[in-house]
Amino acid sequence: MTPPTLPEPRIIPRSEHPISRANIDREALKVMYRLRDAGHRAYLVGGGVRDLMLGRTPKDFDISTDAHPGELRKLFRNSRIIGKRFRLVQVFYHGGKIIEVSTFRCRSEFEENGGDAVLAQNNTFGTPAEDAFRRDLTINALFYEIENFTVIDYTGGVADLHNRIVRMVGDPERRITRDPVRMLRAIRHAARQGFTVEGETWAAIRANADKLALCPVSRIRDEFMKDLRSGAMREWAKLALASTLFFAILPCYAQRLPGGEDPGFYGRPEAQGNETLALLFRVLDMVDRFCTEGTAVPDEVLFALLLLPWAIAEFDLLRPREQKGGEGYRFTRRLREALDVNLEHLGIKRASKEEITLLLSSLPLFVQHEKDGEWPRWLARKSYFQQALTFYRLYQAAAAGAALPEIAAPEPAPPKAKRRRGGGHRRGARTTAFATTKGGIFGLKK
């Protein structure tokens, strides 16, 4: 079959774009110059070019070239080949810096003409044009080359950057059907950049949100964790709710949050009147502050915060409960069973679900006993006391919309329990996933 003819690129000269070599990582330039001197083409690609065009400092500087992995290994002795689906070469430099170099890939015949199935494995090398059209979004399909300092645009990405639009490369319906994870990437970049999702792309996402379940659990989890730590979760949530992707990832909220086709709906009074949604947005504001301020927080805590508004509504979580007679145990067991059901599709580890359950189920204890004016001795001696108290302070700050510094200070350490004769740990003692110590929240420095 004759491959389709790809359009000629738009070449943006140095005088018409803001990218300067002074803003490109020195090691990335070294890699490109060595490839050029060896007779190969080498372009800065993807998010690095996008960020430079927006006047931002890229997190990564990735390079694509016509050199194959074996040739790259010969050129860069300080490198290794990684990857199964498509092999990449990582070039190592001092200080732990890594520059990833990929060979131009081609669009597979399956990608262009395949049936309604998830994208198959493909390792075929291609041309720069084919590589550009294989990428997910137009704003991530730009190349920068160092020979003439030009930006190469095959897909209209420069215009979309100027117009602040996120657009799928090619036919959105077909591209999403081949790989549904592309939906998550589209709304992530729209949330991070403050862009609008282009109309056809948005319609295809809304029509295919349920297809996310076709993807491997590990891919969904990994992509979602990028969103959770992006620093733009509140804006992400508005887009994810309006597209219904939010409920594909967190089905427990399906009956608790209002629905609206327009992301702007979630900023309006009629939506904000929903108490669960209002608390969710305050929690996400807190999560975003953690990320933007560089505060390291364990995944279990982030998930517990994310699930907190649902748990409060679903289980009347803040109601004090009698701990004697098994009521507390039965409540914790019901909560854990609900978490098993609602987190199964994300592949969360058992130990992590235990920690999330502990954090959520401990809140009624702290609500009840803080009203009494002091922590009972039996609670203060629990091995999980400090971590659960810190989570309770986070809840209080989220509920009140308080600033993060007001809750970062550690509580005084509870009195230590006397060690039983014979040594060892007390039966039933839990190990803690995090602790509040001087130097930062959860004991992890900023």
Side-chain angles (χ1 to χ4, degrees), residues 13-302:
R14 176 65 186 91
S15 60
E16 297 179 18
H17 68 75
I19 299 179
S20 167
R21 285 175 296 168
N23 297 324
I24 299 176
D25 182 88
R26 182 176 64 179
E27 280 71 27
L29 287 173
K30 286 181 181 179
V31 171
M32 288 192 286
Y33 281 127
R34 181 176 292 187
L35 285 166
R36 183 200 64 179
D37 294 344
H40 296 289
R41 282 184 290 183
Y43 301 150
L44 189 68
V45 298
V49 181
R50 178 201 66 224
D51 289 343
L52 289 169
M53 290 287 288
L54 292 172
R56 300 172 182 170
T57 302
K59 180 180 178 182
D60 300 301
F61 292 87
D62 296 332
I63 295 167
S64 281
T65 178
D66 57 2
H68 289 193
E71 295 173 308
L72 291 169
R73 280 287 289 126
K74 292 178 181 178
L75 278 173
F76 302 97
R77 298 183 64 183
N78 54 324
S79 67
R80 68 175 179 180
I81 297 176
I82 64 169
K84 293 181 179 179
R85 180 177 174 184
F86 191 84
R87 304 179 81 189
L88 302 173
V89 173
Q90 291 183 329
V91 184
F92 297 90
Y93 287 96
H94 293 296
K97 184 175 293 184
I98 299 174
I99 304 297
E100 284 197 349
V101 186
S102 63
T103 305
F104 296 130
R105 292 178 285 178
C106 81
R107 297 187 302 167
S108 67
E109 182 177 319
F110 183 93
E111 174 82 358
E112 296 163 8
N113 303 298
D116 293 336
V118 176
L119 186 63
Q121 181 171 313
N122 188 306
N123 289 327
T124 308
F125 301 131
T127 66
E130 290 172 323
D131 189 89
F133 278 93
R134 186 175 179 126
R135 294 177 183 269
D136 295 341
L137 306 173
T138 61
I139 60 174
N140 291 338
L142 299 173
F143 300 155
Y144 173 80
E145 58 89 20
I146 56 171
E147 192 65 35
N148 300 299
F149 318 120
T150 60
V151 171
I152 304 171
D153 181 9
Y154 286 95
T155 65
V158 170
D160 286 342
L161 279 177
H162 178 75
N163 295 316
R164 302 178 65 80
I165 290 174
V166 170
R167 184 194 310 269
M168 201 77 69
V169 174
D171 176 18
E173 187 81 23
R174 183 180 296 275
R175 299 303 302 280
I176 288 172
T177 300
R178 302 301 180 267
D179 188 0
V181 164
R182 288 169 173 154
M183 296 184 287
L184 293 179
R185 294 174 185 159
I187 66 171
R188 176 190 308 141
H189 285 292
R192 284 183 176 182
Q193 312 298 338
F195 285 12
T196 301
V197 181
E198 178 268 336
E200 289 187 15
T201 300
W202 181 252
I205 291 173
R206 281 188 54 83
N208 293 282
D210 61 323
K211 289 186 172 63
L212 194 64
L214 299 175
C215 297
V217 168
S218 60
R219 291 192 69 204
I220 299 175
R221 182 186 61 247
D222 292 347
E223 292 291 333
F224 180 60
M225 290 308 301
K226 293 177 184 177
D227 294 315
L228 195 53
R229 294 188 177 277
S230 68
M233 268 299 286
R234 184 187 178 108
E235 294 306 311
W236 178 91
K238 292 178 182 178
L239 290 165
L241 285 165
S243 67
T244 72
L245 280 172
F246 190 95
F247 305 117
I249 296 174
L250 296 169
C252 56
Y253 276 106
Q255 304 302 318
R256 295 291 177 181
L257 299 179
E261 296 183 7
D262 175 11
F265 168 79
Y266 293 94
R268 298 171 192 156
E270 57 265 39
Q272 291 295 315
N274 181 292
E275 292 183 6
T276 301
L277 180 66
L279 179 57
L280 175 65
F281 280 163
R282 289 196 293 271
V283 165
L284 296 181
D285 283 338
M286 176 175 290
V287 170
D288 287 343
R289 289 202 303 273
F290 284 144
C291 296
T292 56
E293 295 177 10
T295 304
V297 182
D299 291 347
E300 293 83 0
V301 179
L302 294 179

Side-chain angles (χ1 to χ4, degrees), residues 335-408:
L335 178 59
R336 172 57 197 273
E337 289 172 350
L339 290 178
D340 283 339
V341 171
N342 287 287
L343 295 179
E344 179 181 7
H345 62 291
L346 293 177
I348 306 298
K349 294 180 180 179
R350 178 178 178 179
S352 295
K353 286 187 285 190
E354 292 286 357
E355 291 295 336
I356 296 168
T357 303
L358 171 65
L359 294 172
L360 292 173
S361 63
S362 66
L363 282 188
L365 290 173
F366 289 92
V367 171
Q368 175 182 350
H369 293 295
E370 185 159 56
K371 291 179 180 178
D372 298 339
E374 63 180 39
W375 308 122
R377 197 173 186 85
W378 65 267
L379 177 59
R381 288 180 172 177
K382 293 290 187 181
S383 61
Y384 60 78
F385 172 80
Q386 197 66 63
Q387 65 181 40
L389 177 58
T390 302
F391 184 75
Y392 175 58
R393 296 301 185 210
L394 293 180
Y395 154 71
Q396 289 182 311
L404 183 59
E406 297 179 15
I407 60 171

